[in-house]
Amino acid sequence: MTDDPNLHDAACHCGTVRFRVRLADGFNTIRRCDCSFCRMRGAVAVSARLGDLEFLSGQENLTLYQFNTGTAKHWFCKTCGIYTHHQRRSDPSQYGVNVACINGVSPFDFPEVIVSDGVHHPADGPSGIAGVLRYSPA
């Protein structure tokens, strides 16, 4: 590993899919989305440019899911079913990376996470912030 604070190793739950990612702006881009798919998936994502994700192993074990316009591409491990990353519809030059896949990071490390308005998608017209998800340990 380097001293680059934006460079992280990541993996799915079973460890079959392993990758290294350089985050676009550290964890400053962390967010959730309230579209129909993200509501059910429940993941917190962080941004990376397309060229900044490198597979170390298991890329062939990913499966792709697309819906609606087919622009966004969501990848999952075929073995454990964990969502690892997706190519964004709102900005196809970026990946959203499941923060829970990043080594040593949990979605519960962040007391507040912005929830993007994916019901009114930016590609379809005006949208913005749907709310804020808050976590406070007991």
Side-chain angles (χ1 to χ4, degrees), residues 8 27-28 30 44 98-113 133-137:
H8 300 274
F27 291 100
N28 295 320
I30 196 160
V44 172
N98 182 352
V99 73
C101 291
I102 297 174
N103 292 352
V105 179
S106 165
F108 302 111
D109 293 341
F110 306 93
E112 292 189 348
V113 175
L133 186 67
R134 291 184 173 83
Y135 175 75
S136 177

Side-chain angles (χ1 to χ4, degrees), residues 30-96:
I30 196 160
R31 65 181 177 234
R32 285 196 52 179
C33 173
D34 71 351
C35 78
S36 62
F37 184 64
C38 292
R39 278 194 312 264
M40 295 182 91
R41 179 177 65 193
V44 172
V46 67
S47 299
R49 289 178 287 281
L50 291 189
D52 288 342
L53 191 145
E54 171 193 7
F55 288 96
L56 305 174
S57 64
Q59 184 175 5
E60 70 285 349
N61 204 56
L62 289 171
T63 190
L64 174 65
Y65 177 69
Q66 293 175 273
F67 69 103
N68 195 13
T69 67
T71 305
K73 298 174 182 163
H74 306 266
W75 283 278
F76 298 81
C77 173
K78 291 180 192 177
T79 304
C80 65
I82 293 298
Y83 147 72
T84 55
H85 66 291
H86 71 283
Q87 186 173 4
R88 291 198 161 118
R89 178 178 176 218
S90 58
D91 184 350
S93 71
Q94 288 187 339
Y95 286 126

Side-chain angles (χ1 to χ4, degrees), residues 6-28:
N6 290 321
L7 192 61
H8 300 274
D9 285 340
C12 64
H13 188 262
C14 70
T16 301
V17 178
R18 296 185 181 278
F19 57 100
R20 185 165 290 145
V21 62
R22 178 171 282 107
L23 302 180
D25 186 21
F27 291 100
N28 295 320

